[in-house]
């Protein structure tokens, strides 16, 4: 498969802070690729470097062979980006903004009118066309931002957290629109900290944490990569739980994460281990109110790889 | 040829961007227009009566005319310098990052914003320019056209300068302070209110005045209309003044190109 984007030993520093730390990654033509990581992990910095908005401190990014360092003009012809925060001024109106964008990315005046109408209709934006930007809801603003890329139809389309602040119904509309764009030939890169979005939309995912690449693969490959592939989730009964006592027992079975009175134990052969855990806790006088064995989620994979939760609880 | 056509179309769109966005500064422009009206109707006339212009070989009405072209230049400078606040706001709102991501050569982006800023500022001062022409009773079509072209070149240069400064310092507060100071100092250290011959005896002040772009445009406009009256007062010959304005326009536009192409990237706004 042909590489659409090739990130080569990318480093981006802001003063002493290293936002992206020696990142290398290949994204192939025609795929929907996800960058998964919590806020501040370096996803947006990476995307902005691909879009030539940031200059690499060292390393390079190549888009269909063109370097962001040397061939910025060519890269910008190939890449379109929907930013995490919609880029518009309060006095802008969606229709005017999108018409200007369409003309700027190369449409004639007549074609611009047509494509802007089509995209606004498809995202349910037409009724908002003459409102001021400051009058729009967060979700509608986000749709306007995404509409820019749908109008542009670039070879590489970048969406930075495309469905943040968007309601559930609109999320599906946007996901469908992004998939449709891929069908038309664009390579899609999405950054997200929403594991459901990553699982539902992305074909391959890179997990980024503290500026470094921690894992890359399909969702299934990432799940299969966990040596302790099962998760035992259990809750302990009672009001005053001695968490340290419970942890002391559970740690002897595998890696453990805690959320209130719920404990997650990452193990192999989950069903067998669950019985052993119940016995061990009972012997120490601890009563279990609920226990289940489940397949790991992407969040579990993320925790296993990075030791951190994807979203702060 | 195709890329040239694309570049020109994109410059046109950037000019359009600036023209629509200057509407945001409507209160600022109205304030400046009000200030201008008070200046020409009250202070200008009062000053003209106070100034003993005979020693300079001018009558009272001539000083008033001198003052009118000076005050117009200062207004044009202030409104163009106010582009800095727009650019600062655009950076804060992420618009600069959006522009940097567009399929556009960075030279085109810089030149488009400088030209756009210049055109928008010149257009917004046209009613004031028309007022000056009427009050000065100078209706030469050639002089009016050349004045507008010179004003536009001056405004493009100043827009290039403020774009370069604002995008280099990347700070809203620093932009406010710097542009406020620049506006106050450049207008006062110029021939807007005082002919160069009067201040020739104050050496440091005089050197600032003759280096100042505001002085050059003010004197050039005066010469376009009343060459014989003002040639003895101007800081340089018309050709030298015009060359300075053209150089200013090209020089600061290229400075903006350098900053946008080589130095500018997203983020880092303070």
């Amino acid at each position: 498969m042909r590489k659409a984007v090739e990130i080569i030993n990318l480093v981006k520093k802001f003063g002493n802070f290293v936002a992206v730390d020696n990142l290398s990654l290949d994204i192939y033509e025609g795929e929907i690729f996800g960058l998964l990581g919590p806020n501040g992990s370096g996803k947006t910095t990476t995307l902005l470097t691909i879009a030539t908005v940031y200059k690499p401190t060292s390393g390079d990014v190549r888009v269909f062979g063109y370097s962001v360092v040397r061939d910025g003009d060519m890269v910008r012809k190939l890449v379109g980006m929907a930013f995490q925060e919609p880029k518009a001024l309060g006095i802008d109106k969606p229709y005017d903004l999108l018409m200007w964008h369409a003309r700027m990315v190369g449409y004639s005046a007549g074609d611009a009118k047509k494509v802007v109408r089509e995209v606004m209709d498809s995202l349910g934006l037409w009724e908002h066309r003459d409102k001021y930007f400051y009058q729009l809801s967060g979700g509608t603003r986000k749709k306007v931002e995404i509409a820019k890329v749908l109008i542009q139809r670039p070879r590489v389309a970048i969406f930075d957290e495309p469905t943040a602040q968007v309601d559930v119904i609109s999320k599906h509309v946007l996901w469908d629109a992004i998939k449709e764009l891929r069908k038309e030939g664009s390579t899609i890169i999405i950054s997200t900290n929403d594991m459901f979005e990553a699982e539902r939309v992305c074909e391959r995912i890179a997990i980024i944490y503290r500026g470094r690449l921690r894992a890359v693969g399909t969702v299934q490959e990432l799940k299969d990569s966990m040596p302790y592939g099962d998760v035992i989730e259990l809750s302990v009964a009672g009001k005053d739980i001695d968490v340290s006592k419970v942890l002391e027992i559970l740690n002897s079975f595998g890696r453990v994460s805690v959320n209130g009175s719920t404990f997650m134990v990452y193990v192999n052969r989950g069903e067998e281990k669950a019985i052993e855990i119940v016995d061990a806790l009972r012997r120490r006088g601890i009563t279990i109110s609920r226990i289940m064995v489940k397949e790991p989620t992407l969040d579990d994979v993320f925790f296993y790889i990075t030791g951190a939760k994807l979203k702060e609880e | 040829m195709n890329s040239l056509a694309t570049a020109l179309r994109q410059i046109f769109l950037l000019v359009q961007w600036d023209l629509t966005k200057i509407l945001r500064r409507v209160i600022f422009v109205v304030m400046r227009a009000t200030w201008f009206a008070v200046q020409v109707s009250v202070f200008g006339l009062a000053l003209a009566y106070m100034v003993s212009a005979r020693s300079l070989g001018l009558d009272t009405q001539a000083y008033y005319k001198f003052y009118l072209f000076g005050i117009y230049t200062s207004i044009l400078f202030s409104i163009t310098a106010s582009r800095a606040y727009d650019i600062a706001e655009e950076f804060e709102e992420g618009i600069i990052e959006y522009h940097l991501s567009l399929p556009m050569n960075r030279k085109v982006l810089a030149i488009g914003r400088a030209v756009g800023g210049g055109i928008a500022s010149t257009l917004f001062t046209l009613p004031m320019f028309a007022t000056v022409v009427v009050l000065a009773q100078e209706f030469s079509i050639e002089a009016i056209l050349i004045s507008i072209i010179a004003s536009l070149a001056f405004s493009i240069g100043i827009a290039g300068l403020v774009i370069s400064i604002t995008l280099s310092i990347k700070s809203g507060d620093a932009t406010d302070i710097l542009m406020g100071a620049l506006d106050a100092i450049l207008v006062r250290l110029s021939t807007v209110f005082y002919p160069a011959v009067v201040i020739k005896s104050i050496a440091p002040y005089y050197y600032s005045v003759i280096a100042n772009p505001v002085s050059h445009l003010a004197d050039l406009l005066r010469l376009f209309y009343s060459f014989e009256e003002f040639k003895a007062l101007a800081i340089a010959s018309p050709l030298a003044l015009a060359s300075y304005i053209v150089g200013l326009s090209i020089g600061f536009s290229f400075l903006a190109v350098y900053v946008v192409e080589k130095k500018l990237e997203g983020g880092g706004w303070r």
Side-chain angles (χ1 to χ4, degrees):
Chain A
M1 267 195 296
R2 189 179 177 193
K3 288 175 188 171
V5 177
E6 198 178 353
I7 301 172
I8 308 157
N9 301 324
L10 179 66
V11 176
K12 181 61 187 174
K13 292 181 185 175
F14 298 100
N16 292 327
F17 175 69
V18 183
V20 179
D21 189 2
N22 205 30
L23 181 70
S24 292
L25 193 60
D26 293 334
I27 298 166
Y28 297 102
E29 187 173 14
E31 72 175 337
I32 302 183
F33 190 88
L35 289 181
L36 187 67
N39 294 334
S41 60
K43 306 185 300 289
T44 297
T45 304
T46 303
L47 297 182
L48 288 170
T49 308
I50 298 171
T52 76
V53 175
Y54 285 163
K55 298 174 195 287
T57 304
S58 66
D60 200 358
V61 178
R62 292 196 187 132
V63 178
F64 288 106
Y66 292 106
S67 158
V68 296
V69 180
R70 292 184 305 278
D71 318 305
D73 287 350
M74 281 309 297
V75 171
R76 281 188 290 278
K77 284 180 186 171
L78 298 167
V79 174
M81 177 159 182
F83 291 82
Q84 188 175 341
E85 294 297 327
K87 304 300 188 196
L89 297 166
I91 56 149
D92 286 329
K93 294 176 178 179
Y95 182 76
D96 297 340
L97 190 70
L98 294 176
M99 274 300 289
W100 188 85
H101 182 83
R103 298 280 290 124
M104 186 51 88
V105 299
Y107 287 97
S108 66
D111 289 345
K113 277 182 191 169
K114 220 165 86 177
V115 72
V116 166
R117 175 72 199 251
E118 272 172 23
V119 171
M120 290 189 90
D121 274 340
S122 71
L123 298 183
L125 285 171
W126 188 247
E127 62 183 295
H128 303 292
R129 64 191 177 281
D130 285 329
K131 288 180 183 167
Y132 289 111
F133 220 69
Y134 68 80
Q135 295 172 317
L136 303 177
S137 68
T140 308
R141 290 179 192 193
K142 195 83 183 176
K143 283 183 184 175
V144 175
E145 183 64 26
I146 286 168
K148 290 179 189 167
V149 176
L150 299 179
I151 288 166
Q152 190 174 344
R153 292 173 186 159
R155 295 276 302 278
V156 176
I158 297 172
F159 297 93
D160 192 0
E161 301 199 8
T163 59
Q165 303 175 318
V166 174
D167 64 67
V168 178
I169 295 169
S170 297
K171 274 184 184 185
H172 286 270
V173 171
L174 291 178
W175 288 335
D176 288 346
I178 289 170
K179 285 177 178 174
E180 190 60 35
L181 187 64
R182 193 271 297 272
K183 268 189 203 165
E184 289 174 13
S186 295
T187 302
I188 312 284
I189 307 173
I190 293 175
S191 89
T192 184
N193 56 19
D194 179 343
M195 61 181 174
F196 181 69
E197 178 169 76
E199 286 203 60
R200 193 178 191 286
V201 182
C202 303
E203 290 151 348
R204 281 199 316 136
I205 290 166
I207 292 178
I208 295 185
Y209 187 61
R210 293 184 176 165
R212 306 196 74 156
L213 178 68
R214 303 304 173 110
V216 61
T218 64
V219 173
Q220 200 53 52
E221 282 168 356
L222 290 175
K223 286 178 179 177
D224 291 345
S225 71
M226 285 180 71
Y228 302 102
D230 293 336
V231 183
I232 299 171
E233 188 178 310
L234 61 93
S235 300
V236 175
K239 283 183 181 171
D240 300 317
I241 303 157
D242 186 348
V243 174
S244 59
K245 193 172 159 188
V246 178
L247 279 175
E248 184 194 324
I249 299 162
L250 296 180
N251 276 330
S252 64
F253 290 94
R255 196 168 178 167
V256 184
S257 71
V258 190
N259 180 20
S261 63
T262 303
F263 298 81
M264 318 269 264
V265 191
Y266 300 86
V267 296
N268 280 328
R269 292 177 289 115
E271 287 80 4
E272 291 172 29
K273 284 285 182 347
I275 296 165
E276 291 172 26
I277 285 172
V278 172
D279 283 345
L281 290 171
R282 269 193 194 145
R283 278 200 298 276
R284 300 284 293 270
I286 299 165
T287 311
I288 296 169
S289 61
R290 186 179 67 90
I291 186 164
M292 61 188 288
V293 180
K294 58 175 193 173
E295 231 200 355
T297 64
L298 211 45
D299 206 20
D300 298 323
V301 174
F302 188 81
F303 174 76
Y304 175 75
I305 291 170
T306 66
K309 297 296 284 179
L310 196 52
K311 279 188 173 178
E312 287 175 20
E313 305 293 348
Chain B
M1 190 62 196
N2 192 27
S3 60
L4 179 65
T6 303
L8 289 174
R9 189 169 55 82
Q10 289 179 325
I11 287 174
F12 169 77
L13 286 164
L14 289 166
V15 170
Q16 189 188 19
W17 176 277
D18 273 307
L19 282 173
T20 52
K21 299 312 182 236
I22 204 169
L23 289 171
R24 278 178 296 150
R25 306 216 70 83
V26 69
I27 293 175
F28 175 84
V29 173
V30 167
M31 279 169 60
R32 286 286 165 178
T34 308
W35 180 74
F36 170 79
V38 173
Q39 288 285 112
V40 297
S41 61
V42 180
F43 298 124
L45 286 172
L47 276 171
Y49 282 114
M50 283 165 62
V51 170
S52 175
R54 284 198 192 104
S55 60
L56 304 173
L58 298 171
D59 60 20
T60 306
Q61 182 58 29
Y63 178 76
Y64 185 56
K65 205 186 285 182
F66 176 92
Y67 178 87
L68 286 174
F69 289 109
I71 209 74
Y72 168 72
T73 305
S74 76
I75 288 276
L76 179 62
F77 175 77
S78 295
I79 287 182
T80 310
S82 80
R83 299 294 306 142
Y85 308 118
D86 291 341
I87 299 286
E89 190 182 345
E90 286 186 1
F91 215 120
E92 275 176 351
E93 298 293 331
I95 300 294
I96 299 294
E97 290 188 346
Y98 166 55
H99 284 174
L100 289 175
S101 76
L102 288 168
M104 174 172 36
N105 183 289
R106 295 278 161 85
K107 289 185 183 77
V108 169
L109 175 60
I111 290 171
R113 294 311 302 271
V115 172
I119 291 176
S121 304
T122 306
L123 283 180
F124 267 79
T125 58
L126 275 185
M128 296 175 227
F129 181 74
T131 307
V132 164
V133 167
V134 171
L135 290 174
Q137 296 183 316
E138 295 283 0
F139 302 107
S140 158
I141 298 296
E142 292 87 349
I144 289 171
L145 286 176
I146 299 170
S147 299
I148 292 171
I149 292 168
S151 299
L152 180 61
F154 169 85
S155 194
I156 289 170
I158 299 300
L161 174 67
V162 298
I163 287 168
S164 305
I165 292 173
T166 311
L167 294 182
S168 297
I169 60 178
K170 282 187 164 184
S171 162
D173 292 341
T175 297
D176 285 352
I177 294 165
L178 194 62
M179 285 302 148
L182 200 65
D183 192 6
I185 291 168
L186 282 187
V187 169
R188 277 151 192 85
L189 292 180
S190 71
T191 58
V192 163
F193 301 114
Y194 330 104
V197 288
V198 174
I199 47 182
K200 216 168 189 173
S201 55
I202 317 165
Y205 185 15
Y206 181 66
Y207 294 133
S208 306
V209 166
I210 56 174
N212 188 336
V214 177
S215 301
H216 284 76
L217 182 69
D219 280 4
L220 186 61
L221 295 183
R222 288 164 184 145
L223 291 177
F224 283 153
Y225 290 94
S226 302
F227 179 76
E228 288 304 325
E229 254 177 312
F230 293 124
K231 67 179 178 186
L233 304 181
I235 55 172
S237 70
L239 188 62
L241 293 172
S243 302
Y244 180 101
I245 297 296
V246 171
L248 175 92
S249 181
I250 295 171
F252 283 142
S253 295
F254 275 97
L255 178 64
V257 166
Y258 172 76
V259 170
V260 170
E261 200 172 32
K262 303 291 180 196
K263 300 286 178 195
L264 181 62
E265 63 176 341
W269 185 260
R270 297 180 297 275

